[in-house]
Amino acid sequence: MEEDLFKQQMRAFDRWKTELIQVIQDYHHWLETQGKGTADINVRLFDVIDSLKSDHLTIAFVAEFSRGKTELINAIFFADYKRRLLPSEAGRTTMCPTELFYDHAEDHAYIRLLPIETRLQEKSISELKKDTEQWKTISLDINSPDQMVDAMKAVINTKNVPLQQAIDLGLFHDDSPRRRKTDQPPPKEIEIPQWRHALISFPHPLLQQGLAILDTPGLNALGTEPELTYNMLPNAHAVLFVLAADTGTTRSDLDVWEYYIKEHRASGDKGLVAALNKIDTLWDEMKSSDEVSASIENQRQDVANSLGIEPGNVFPVSAQKALLAKTKDNPELLDKSRLMALERYLANEIIPAKQSIIRDNIVNEIGGLIKNERNAIAAQHKQVKSQLNDLKSTSGKNTTLIQHLMRKAREKQAAYNNNMEYFQSSRRSLNQQAKLLFNELSLKKFDNVAAIARKQMTDSWTTGGLKNGMKTLFDGIRETMCISTRHANETHQKIISIYQKFEKETELESLDPKPFSTERYDAEINKLYEQAEDFRSSPVTTMTEQKFVVKKFFISLVSHARDIFFQANQEAENWFKDIIIPLAKHVTEHKQLLEQHMETLYKINESKDNIASKTAELESQCNKLADQHTSLDNMHNKLQNPIEVEVEADSLKVVNA
Ligand SMILES: Nc1nc2c(ncn2[C@@H]2O[C@H](COP(=O)(O)OP(=O)(O)O)[C@@H](O)[C@H]2O)c(=O)[nH]1
Ligand SMILES: [Mg+2]
């Protein structure tokens, strides 16, 4: 049977990341052997390697319950276990959001379950993830599929609790419209999920290569955990919305789509796909295959119309039959399930998009460092070459000429010293300026703003209080972003003038000090603000006025904004290092070359050295610099390498029907 294209792409993606890591390690090694490594740069390089190693490509599966999300995950990713790995049963459905990935740090298989009672705490799920004590961990025995399947069943556990407890946990609202209609007394006990969130670390090759899957529960559960909607879903690289052919597009399907997906994928349709699952329910022995295809096509069009997306982004599939086909090695059935078209889409659209994000970041970060280093080497090369030419021009021992050269060299040194003084004094004021920037973007500053906003919100849990609190938070954030931009611009102006001075004197070309921009973070904050506005005006909030959800929402909102702030702060610090360290290094190296030249001329003048041996020395120095230049060039080029997939002819056969 054809090997899944998604797997091939994912493997190629992983290989590509490994090669990137190799280039960064090569660069690190190069710096060390040249004696150019510094603690700062080392930390930066290790950070980037770490982030590449722990990088995830996240695909979220979202739908009303029982549309077959879990079955689809089983069929796409885990069919090679020849069984249904994640529990998907009629009548019982995933109760808590479940993340599947591989935890390289722990390096073993486990399920970690967060008790539902943690909803009472004022901590976001992302904060709780760092607090493993609060989770129940079950080890998975990967040699025993039975044990694994059994253990995974825990994610669908529920329990009955007294009504008041369910209310305290924000899992029951007395004003639910359904109950109001029937006018029944509230029940004494309520069935609630036992777990709030599940993390499954599992050594499947795809997960080890960095795939992460987020399986979500249905509409009700989505509403009770805003962090899922406002943080995890927007951060996923792809969202797969699942509908079922037997139920058609229902009101609650559309609610999930409107409130939980569409609004939060501002980037347009990119990474947003719909699967029309359970097409096997349309298979009908009494109909010709053309008739069946026509009715599937009709439903596909209907779905596209009601969601307002391209029909090409709606994939009719049968997860159940696909899983069966893969388990029993039945290519005809797999073909009929149409799963491969969806897999191809995921492979061809999602992975390359994710790759380009990584590439942009890495090329920016590491590529910039390598380029600066290469430019500095180029400048030194030029300097040594001109010294070499000087020497060569003094064929024989022409005293006047040598003395003329010495005078020239002395002038250069004097000019250099002038620049040096300027550099030292500007560096001090530059550091002060940068400090203002870092302070403005500090977490302390952020926490102050957040504390005021939180107070406004908790003092009055009304829509008005919520609105004021949100306004305070976002106004505060925007103001500090604005001030940061001003500080960054002033710092940048100062740096440009220093660079310009040095450029003339030291042949240091195109060491472009790039500006620091908060634009990216502004955009993220604005997006967050829009989400907050949506949330405030969404029926979920206004209908039920759920204190609980609002509080949870605020916790996740603040923790998300804080993350953005933290990133901005980190980037500002790195930016400053990137523009100041290469210049400082280059200035020192330039000085050494000037001194070396003076020394040479002096010795020749005193007949302590002969020109031929000095020329040879300089020539070898020139070659060394040229070699270094080539090495750096190669590393820089390797960073731009594309992903290479060996596509097997087979996988091109099945055409998207
Ligand atoms: N006929 C049919 N049933 C399916 C298909 N996919 C899932 N189901 C069934 O639908 C029910 C719910 O599936 P599940 O994956 O748990 O749905 P989830 O709640 O969206 O995760 C289960 O009984 C599945 O066996 C399919 O492609 N065809
Ligand atoms: Mg499920």
Side-chain angles (χ1 to χ4, degrees):
M1 201 161 14
E2 82 174 270
E3 208 216 345
D4 320 30
L5 184 61
F6 187 83
K7 286 189 183 145
Q8 290 175 19
Q9 280 271 22
M10 206 56 205
R11 232 190 357 253
F13 181 53
D14 188 51
R15 236 186 351 254
W16 174 77
K17 281 197 288 187
T18 311
E19 277 160 22
L20 278 188
I21 292 175
Q22 189 57 51
V23 177
I24 301 170
Q25 279 166 343
D26 287 350
Y27 179 55
H28 175 241
H29 180 74
W30 185 88
L31 287 173
E32 290 296 312
T33 51
Q34 304 297 324
K36 287 171 186 257
T38 64
D40 266 340
I41 300 253
N42 288 348
V43 168
R44 287 279 297 288
L45 296 181
F46 287 132
D47 274 354
V48 174
I49 290 177
D50 256 5
S51 71
L52 272 173
K53 280 186 179 162
S54 61
D55 177 73
H56 283 147
L57 178 135
T58 308
I59 302 182
F61 286 69
V62 186
E64 183 52 307
F65 65 87
S66 274
R67 299 297 182 257
K69 293 175 293 279
T70 307
E71 190 78 333
L72 203 49
I73 293 172
N74 280 325
I76 299 178
F77 305 108
F78 302 118
D80 29 8
Y81 290 95
K82 304 285 177 199
R83 60 166 69 221
R84 184 174 278 133
L85 192 68
L86 297 170
S88 152
E89 293 167 28
R92 303 198 68 193
T93 186
T94 318
M95 294 305 288
C96 67
T98 305
E99 287 178 69
L100 285 137
F101 59 100
Y102 190 65
D103 182 342
H104 285 278
E106 298 261 332
D107 210 17
H108 72 97
Y110 62 75
I111 301 188
R112 224 163 246 169
L113 298 156
L114 185 65
I116 193 80
E117 290 74 22
T118 55
R119 283 174 61 83
L120 297 171
Q121 300 179 15
E122 299 224 335
K123 267 188 180 174
S124 67
I125 294 176
S126 53
E127 285 168 308
L128 283 165
K129 279 185 189 168
K130 292 172 204 143
D131 187 359
T132 46
E133 293 279 290
Q134 300 223 30
W135 300 66
K136 178 183 161 137
T137 303
I138 307 172
S139 280
L140 292 177
D141 178 2
I142 53 163
N143 296 315
S144 161
D146 290 339
Q147 188 265 349
M148 287 196 299
V149 169
D150 230 35
M152 296 212 190
K153 285 200 174 129
V155 301
I156 59 178
N157 283 355
T158 59
K159 59 180 177 186
N160 285 331
V161 297
L163 178 67
Q164 190 53 45
Q165 196 180 342
I167 294 175
D168 292 346
L169 286 167
L171 295 173
F172 181 84
H173 315 293
D174 202 27
D175 51 0
S176 103
R178 191 159 28 122
R179 238 188 31 73
R180 242 183 288 152
K181 232 186 273 165
T182 56
D183 228 13
Q184 282 165 0
K188 288 205 171 59
E189 285 207 325
I190 304 278
E191 187 186 22
I192 61 165
Q194 188 173 354
W195 310 108
R196 182 180 177 195
H197 200 90
L199 299 172
I200 304 184
S201 163
F202 187 68
H204 185 280
L206 282 174
L207 302 180
Q208 285 175 314
Q209 286 152 11
L211 178 72
I213 296 165
L214 176 61
D215 188 10
T216 61
L219 184 60
N220 278 342
L222 274 169
T224 54
E225 202 69 83
E227 189 170 353
L228 195 64
T229 333
Y230 292 92
N231 212 339
M232 295 184 207
L233 291 185
N235 283 342
H237 301 98
V239 173
L240 193 65
F241 178 61
V242 188
L243 289 157
D246 59 345
T247 42
T249 315
T250 68
R251 182 68 247 162
S252 58
D253 285 317
L254 286 175
D255 282 349
V256 171
W257 173 257
E258 285 290 326
Y259 302 133
Y260 299 104
I261 305 181
K262 200 176 140 221
E263 291 286 343
H264 304 300
R265 299 212 63 91
S267 51
D269 279 350
K270 226 175 163 41
L272 189 53
V273 200
L276 174 62
N277 190 28
K278 308 196 189 182
I279 53 165
D280 56 289
T281 58
L282 303 176
W283 298 349
D284 185 344
E285 309 271 304
M286 307 287 285
K287 286 184 182 160
S288 72
S289 73
D290 281 351
E291 282 172 316
V292 171
S293 295
S295 71
I296 293 176
E297 194 48 41
N298 272 343
Q299 277 225 26
R300 184 221 282 253
Q301 290 292 343
D302 285 349
V303 168
N305 285 343
S306 49
L307 302 185
I309 61 174
E310 291 294 314
N313 281 351
V314 180
F315 292 84
V317 293
S318 168
Q320 197 184 60
K321 299 300 178 215
L323 179 60
L324 183 67
K326 284 185 176 183
T327 315
K328 303 265 186 248
D329 286 329
N330 180 344
E332 289 82 39
L333 187 61
L334 183 60
D335 213 11
K336 215 172 157 194
S337 78
R338 304 210 201 178
L339 188 73
M340 298 322 285
L342 175 60
E343 288 193 14
R344 260 196 306 281
Y345 177 87
L346 293 176
N348 292 334
E349 299 292 320
I350 310 305
I351 299 177
K354 165 76 177 163
Q355 183 212 15
S356 75
I357 298 174
I358 296 188
R359 201 211 307 268
D360 286 354
N361 290 341
I362 300 289
V363 168
N364 237 333
E365 172 123 22
I366 305 300
L369 292 177
I370 298 183
K371 206 170 118 202
N372 279 347
E373 196 69 61
R374 188 195 58 192
N375 290 349
I377 296 281
Q380 288 166 26
H381 191 210
K382 236 171 157 179
Q383 199 183 351
V384 173
K385 248 197 196 142
S386 110
Q387 294 181 358
L388 184 63
N389 284 339
D390 279 0
L391 275 200
K392 280 184 177 159
S393 69
T394 63
S395 54
K397 188 170 173 283
N398 183 335
T399 323
T400 17
L401 189 54
I402 290 176
Q403 271 161 5
H404 164 72
L405 289 176
M406 283 174 84
R407 214 170 26 252
K408 220 171 80 185
R410 231 176 264 122
E411 274 163 25
K412 275 195 181 159
Q413 268 184 327
Y416 171 85
N417 286 337
N418 269 341
N419 273 339
M420 207 50 210
E421 265 170 42
Y422 176 72
F423 177 60
Q424 297 298 11
S425 67
S426 0
R427 197 172 170 168
R428 271 188 296 277
S429 79
L430 213 53
N431 282 339
Q432 278 160 5
Q433 186 91 50
K435 219 178 199 160
L436 292 176
L437 170 65
F438 303 151
N439 282 345
E440 201 54 43
L441 287 176
S442 71
L443 290 180
K444 205 169 134 207
K445 187 111 192 176
F446 176 87
D447 289 340
N448 285 341
V449 174
I452 303 171
R454 170 186 289 268
K455 193 162 183 326
Q456 280 173 326
M457 288 196 192
T458 37
D459 279 354
S460 118
W461 281 113
T462 60
T463 313
L466 179 64
K467 192 174 180 174
N468 284 342
M470 266 174 22
K471 191 166 167 2
T472 306
L473 180 68
F474 282 99
D475 284 352
I477 294 177
R478 286 198 180 120
E479 186 186 300
T480 163
M481 286 282 177
C482 186
I483 299 176
S484 309
T485 305
R486 216 179 53 225
H487 287 313
N489 286 344
E490 281 166 23
T491 315
H492 187 237
Q493 279 312 319
K494 274 208 181 106
I495 289 181
I496 287 185
S497 63
I498 301 180
Y499 269 67
Q500 276 167 353
K501 253 185 133 67
F502 272 90
E503 219 171 80
K504 267 190 240 124
E505 301 295 336
T506 67
E507 319 233 21
L508 189 60
E509 279 165 30
S510 59
L511 249 194
D512 255 345
K514 56 174 192 215
F516 174 74
S517 160
T518 53
E519 212 173 292
R520 193 153 70 85
Y521 306 104
D522 279 338
E524 278 187 53
I525 291 291
N526 280 338
K527 206 166 89 195
L528 206 59
Y529 179 72
E530 272 165 30
Q531 288 171 3
E533 275 299 301
D534 285 346
F535 176 79
R536 202 173 54 76
S537 54
S538 91
V540 186
T541 343
T542 46
M543 228 166 48
T544 56
E545 194 72 40
Q546 303 172 32
K547 249 189 215 181
F548 204 92
V549 176
V550 171
K551 189 160 151 192
K552 284 267 155 302
F553 170 73
F554 184 67
I555 293 171
S556 80
L557 180 77
V558 171
S559 112
H560 193 168
R562 202 171 191 271
D563 279 350
I564 297 175
F565 234 74
F566 180 70
Q567 284 168 23
N569 180 294
Q570 293 289 294
E571 197 190 317
E573 288 197 12
N574 285 338
W575 165 76
F576 188 63
K577 281 179 197 155
D578 280 355
I579 46 181
I580 206 76
I581 293 177
L583 184 62
K585 252 168 51 182
H586 181 68
V587 161
T588 331
E589 282 160 359
H590 184 72
K591 182 172 174 232
Q592 284 162 359
L593 286 178
L594 285 176
E595 281 167 359
Q596 163 193 313
H597 194 46
M598 265 312 277
E599 169 114 351
T600 305
L601 293 171
Y602 175 77
K603 283 189 176 157
I604 291 172
N605 195 37
E606 301 283 302
S607 301
K608 284 182 187 149
D609 240 337
N610 72 44
I611 296 183
S613 80
K614 270 293 149 194
T615 313
E617 241 174 60
L618 278 184
E619 249 155 14
S620 114
Q621 201 176 356
C622 247
N623 291 339
K624 245 189 233 152
L625 286 168
D627 283 349
Q628 291 181 357
H629 195 264
T630 317
S631 302
L632 289 169
D633 246 356
N634 286 341
M635 287 180 220
H636 197 255
N637 289 340
K638 269 197 200 149
L639 284 183
Q640 334 276 333
N641 275 352
I643 291 190
E644 303 214 10
V645 194
E646 347 88 32
V647 181
E648 282 146 42
D650 231 20
S651 56
L652 296 172
K653 265 194 228 149
V654 192
V655 196
N656 187 353

